[in-house]
Amino acid sequence: MPTEHRHRVAVLALARALPMEIGMPFQIFDRHDLPYEVVLCGRRPGPIDTTAGWSVNATRGLDAVVAADTVIVPAFRDATAGIPRDVAEALREAHRRGARMVSICTGAFALAEAGLLDGRRATTHWQYTDALAEQHPLVTVDPDVLFVDEGEVITSAGVASGIDVCLHILRVDHGSAVANAVARDIVAAPHRDGGQAQYIERPATPEPRSAGLAATRAWALSRLDRPLAVGDLARHAKASARTFARTFVAETGTTPLKWLNAARIDRARELLETTDLGVDRVAELCGLGTAANLRTHFRRATGVSPSDYRRTFAA
């Protein structure tokens, strides 16, 4: 992979940051075979307290945030209380310079405080979505997703969704093959199903819990090259269509049809990156039937045509 330009990633840790979220960008981007330069920043160089009771050492201050190509703000405790004025100004200046601004979990409050989420769709940990919407009414808060990509500003939901958003960024920058390889290395799912709705605590119901639909989803993934309808999945799960749909949404946070379409697009991306098959054949193998149908769904999901995607990401 070319390394002429090192993409500068500034991870901005604020007081009482959460250690797991600080480490995620380093685990995913800080690799010898990837063209990223990842640095830990604070308001100034030096120790930063974490919620674990020990400190991390920031090697750079806000100057590195302003100069970065991507700025990532991990979660921090007391996020609803606001951020220092100099931090907000550094975030705004980085954004003005064209940096990609990213938050993990409650790091969204820092971006919102700097005014970078106004007029945008965004998310944060489901326990804090109401607070984010109340404190920042100009932000359209989506409580059900793992992350929201608004192009120059990306926000993710709680904790482990930081891995999802970092892998998503890697996929946008370098394609699915690279992102999937890193996901395998860190033993993470390359692309998790659904949103954080599946993790929200809900009142217990008297209905017996489902044994789970993971086997049905795996069965569907092994047959993407064949005609598949929601009814086929329901029959495999030995459930009525209504029960199947309700259980599927509860488990994944999305509908069976949306999940199936997303799986077909993921398969198409992989085939476009790793093979020289024609678009017609790719459409057949991912179950979208015709090249025209593939182009329509692919552009809707990725914003580009299959041919343009292949020119960018083909190995």
Side-chain angles (χ1 to χ4, degrees):
M1 181 177 295
T3 57
E4 290 81 3
H5 169 68
R6 305 293 291 181
H7 185 101
R8 296 164 296 182
V9 178
V11 180
L12 175 58
L14 300 175
R16 302 191 69 199
L18 276 67
M20 180 177 174
E21 282 85 335
I22 294 174
M24 289 172 183
F26 287 88
Q27 187 73 39
I28 292 173
F29 298 114
D30 193 20
R31 295 167 176 268
H32 69 87
D33 56 344
L34 293 179
Y36 297 98
E37 178 184 331
V38 190
V39 296
L40 181 61
C41 306
R43 291 184 69 190
R44 58 191 62 84
I48 300 171
D49 292 336
T50 71
T51 56
W54 39 263
S55 299
V56 293
N57 187 56
T59 58
R60 299 288 300 274
L62 294 176
D63 60 315
V65 173
V66 172
D69 300 305
T70 293
V71 177
I72 301 177
V73 184
F76 59 103
R77 189 64 54 84
D78 305 323
T80 58
I83 58 175
R85 185 176 302 176
D86 57 344
V87 172
E89 181 52 41
L91 291 172
R92 285 191 288 266
E93 179 60 24
H95 181 253
R96 282 193 292 268
R97 287 190 57 261
R100 176 171 52 193
M101 311 300 292
V102 183
S103 66
I104 298 175
C105 194
T106 57
F109 283 85
L111 299 188
E113 186 79 12
L116 304 184
L117 301 185
D118 289 354
R120 300 181 187 275
R121 182 167 155 261
T123 194
T124 186
H125 192 292
W126 61 267
Q127 290 181 327
Y128 293 91
T129 50
D130 287 346
L132 183 63
E134 181 179 345
Q135 291 188 11
H136 302 280
L138 296 180
V139 182
T140 301
V141 180
D142 188 337
D144 296 330
V145 295
L146 293 176
F147 58 84
V148 175
D149 186 346
E150 289 276 283
E152 57 188 14
V153 179
I154 307 175
T155 53
S156 71
V159 195
S161 61
I163 296 175
D164 296 296
V165 79
C166 288
L167 288 173
H168 167 72
I169 290 169
L170 195 56
R171 188 176 294 109
V172 169
D173 288 354
H174 300 292
S176 291
V178 172
N180 292 349
V182 172
R184 284 193 296 272
D185 185 61
I186 65 174
V187 198
H191 182 82
R192 280 199 290 170
D193 302 331
Q196 64 174 333
Q198 60 191 302
Y199 304 107
I200 297 175
E201 194 172 356
R202 291 179 171 84
T205 69
E207 297 180 12
R209 292 185 60 84
S210 166
L213 299 175
T216 295
R217 293 195 295 273
W219 176 82
L221 289 174
S222 69
R223 291 163 172 78
L224 289 179
D225 59 336
R226 309 176 195 179
L228 275 178
V230 174
D232 298 320
L233 275 64
R235 280 189 290 275
H236 180 272
K238 297 180 173 59
S240 69
R242 180 176 296 181
T243 298
F244 174 79
R246 184 174 65 248
T247 305
F248 198 98
V249 171
E251 286 191 10
T252 69
T254 191
T255 66
L257 189 59
K258 288 182 179 178
W259 177 87
L260 190 57
N261 191 62
R264 294 192 190 285
I265 295 299
D266 280 349
R267 179 64 55 82
R269 290 168 69 144
E270 182 179 355
L271 291 171
L272 289 167
E273 290 180 37
T274 59
T275 75
D276 58 0
L277 295 172
V279 175
D280 286 311
R281 184 59 177 151
V282 171
E284 292 174 8
L285 292 175
C286 69
L288 288 172
T290 66
N293 198 34
L294 171 61
R295 291 188 184 98
T296 298
H297 287 281
F298 198 89
R299 184 176 290 277
R300 185 180 300 151
T302 67
V304 298
S305 70
S307 298
D308 287 342
Y309 185 87
R310 169 171 272 164
R311 277 193 291 271
T312 301
F313 293 118

